Amino acid sequence: MNTLTDVVVIGGGQAGLAAGYHLRRRKLDFVILDAQSSAGGAWQHTWDSLHLFSPAGFSSLPGRLMPAQPGQEYPDAAHVVDYLSDYEQRYSLPVHRPITVRAVRRDGPRLRLETDAGRWSARAVISATGTWWRPFLPAVPGREVFAGRQLHTTGYRRPSDFAGQHVIVVGGGNSGAQIAADLATSKDVGLTWVTQRPPRFLADDIDGRALFDAATARRRALDEGLTDTGGVASLGDIVAVPPVRAARDAGLLKAQPMFTALTEGGVQWADGTRAQADAVIWCTGFRPALSHLAPLGLRGERGHIATQGTRAVDEPRLHLLGYGDWTGPASATLIGVGRPARDAVADIAAMVTG
Ligand code: FAD
């Protein structure tokens, strides 16, 4: 099977759906291919207690406000899944799943997509595959000798999975702080929280709304040749969402400096101090999931691809959407992905219809 269309969107999470909304409005011929078997992208796989760091009204995709979740100022991940399922139905977005795109190749004036369900041929491609699928683990000596369990943020679900155990949580970002708070408030789990530098909590009254504003202000300053405002990083690393704030205020979130090695039974610091551990949870971030684009030979530093806006500099038929500030300010958030999605589709519409 070889299906011809104008545009293929790879990925049916929030970024792919935002692109779909704008493609629909422009009446372009398109499909969205998504590797998951149901709607919701990465939100289907997060830990049980995860809540958004912004209220519903500030977590919306273009065209449709996220409804509030009864009793929750900050909606949970299941609410986001419901919102995204409803969104794709409301706009009749042509999402085909489960289909994994294995490779994108140049094919004369078109791009050819090879998938586990046949081939597509498109005049333009929007890659919106997120980062959840490519966890990053740092190279720390002894990782292979540690006899306990090692998992990444992506593998964590709930404290009861570690009942009676001592767990080391590594990472001073939002995932590390939230998972540490989740475990710290569980009576039958021992916790050591380890961060590379002392944790930097944002002021308690700052949430995702301010992060979006900071990312947008930074992009504007850089575009206008003004001094770099530092963006989100200048504010801190950890949004003090209610469970994190509660654990911190109860004195349960005290971080240790990063250890230097894992041992068979735990971890060890430079001065020889050791801690026993049954499990280590690496909350050490993600990389963009771009392996399907490897045949195009565009890979640059840290796995990124050089872009102007969302368009790949060396392959103008390809746009990258939702991977982080390098593909649009706050583009890796629900509220932030709408604008770069709109701009990417405008660019594609000019190319396809021009
Ligand atoms: P994803 O949700 O990962 O969707 C990508 C889709 O592409 C998936 O369905 C995947 O299966 C599919 N895919 C991947 N590769 C292929 C392939 N080769 N072929 C076909 N399909 C493929 N943002 C906020 O706005 N508010 C928050 O509170 C917030 N909290 C977060 C908490 C955590 C722990 C994390 C990790 C992120 C958080 N984010 C938050 C950031 C962001 O909103 C989410 O990461 C979101 O899931 C990103 O959406 P996406 O569409 O870019 O990627």
Side-chain angles (χ1 to χ4, degrees):
M1 184 181 82
N2 190 14
T3 312
L4 290 185
T5 183
D6 280 342
V7 188
V8 173
V9 180
I10 310 174
Q14 65 200 37
L17 299 190
Y21 171 86
H22 286 291
L23 288 161
R24 197 34 111 227
R25 288 195 77 184
R26 295 243 179 204
K27 300 189 170 40
L28 290 174
D29 182 32
F30 72 101
V31 292
I32 301 174
L33 306 180
D34 185 35
Q36 298 299 295
S37 36
S38 50
W43 296 106
Q44 302 168 77
H45 302 285
T46 59
W47 57 94
D48 294 352
S49 68
L50 178 78
H51 285 252
L52 291 183
F53 50 62
S54 308
F58 292 85
S59 305
S60 302
L61 295 181
R64 165 101 175 115
L65 209 61
M66 181 186 285
Q69 182 175 19
Q72 304 284 352
E73 186 185 1
Y74 297 93
D76 63 21
H79 186 71
V80 182
V81 172
D82 289 346
Y83 169 71
L84 295 179
S85 307
D86 174 70
Y87 189 91
E88 62 181 62
Q89 283 166 26
R90 182 171 290 258
Y91 295 111
S92 304
L93 298 179
V95 188
H96 299 251
R97 55 167 71 94
I99 294 181
T100 299
V101 176
R102 304 229 186 272
V104 179
R105 299 180 196 280
R106 295 186 181 89
D107 189 10
R110 290 182 158 265
L111 292 171
R112 187 173 81 229
L113 294 95
E114 295 167 4
T115 82
D116 56 3
R119 289 181 172 189
W120 269 262
S121 170
R123 297 169 71 185
V125 166
I126 299 178
S127 184
T129 48
T131 58
W132 184 262
W133 325 98
R134 223 181 125 213
F136 172 76
L137 284 116
V140 177
R143 266 218 344 243
E144 63 298 341
V145 301
F146 178 61
R149 199 174 149 205
Q150 294 186 62
L151 56 159
H152 184 266
T153 309
T154 53
Y156 175 72
R157 292 294 171 271
R158 60 193 69 85
S160 60
D161 294 341
F162 300 92
Q165 299 185 7
H166 192 93
V167 182
I168 303 211
V169 173
V170 183
N174 284 305
S175 303
Q178 287 189 28
I179 291 175
D182 209 22
L183 292 167
T185 43
S186 169
K187 294 219 167 6
D188 54 357
V189 180
L191 170 73
T192 303
W193 183 31
V194 170
T195 58
Q196 215 152 26
R197 58 180 178 184
R200 298 192 312 148
F201 294 95
L202 281 91
D204 287 0
D205 58 349
I206 289 188
D207 64 20
R209 288 170 279 197
L211 301 185
F212 175 68
D213 291 344
T216 309
R218 175 169 193 246
R219 173 66 0 210
R220 200 168 298 141
L222 293 176
D223 287 349
E224 291 170 8
L226 302 173
T227 315
D228 189 347
T229 59
V232 173
S234 66
L235 300 174
D237 298 321
I238 301 165
V239 182
V241 290
V244 167
R245 202 181 309 163
R248 182 202 62 194
D249 293 351
L252 299 172
L253 273 191
K254 297 248 182 333
Q256 306 289 323
M258 182 63 190
F259 49 82
T260 46
L262 285 102
T263 60
E264 193 182 347
V267 300
Q268 179 174 337
W269 281 266
D271 65 1
T273 314
R274 288 178 170 227
Q276 176 274 331
D278 301 291
V280 176
I281 306 179
W282 298 96
C283 303
T284 42
F286 301 86
R287 295 286 183 262
L290 298 176
S291 60
H292 54 290
L293 301 177
L296 297 173
L298 302 170
R299 212 178 125 93
E301 262 178 53
R302 300 183 70 215
H304 290 193
I305 287 174
T307 49
Q308 192 167 35
T310 55
R311 189 180 346 111
V313 171
D314 295 321
E315 179 43 85
R317 296 167 293 184
L318 172 69
H319 286 255
L320 292 120
L321 186 63
Y323 296 101
D325 287 349
W326 62 284
T327 55
S331 69
T333 63
L334 285 151
I335 194 176
V337 75
R339 196 174 299 170
R342 181 196 66 195
D343 295 347
V345 170
D347 192 81
I348 288 172
M351 190 183 80
V352 167
T353 57

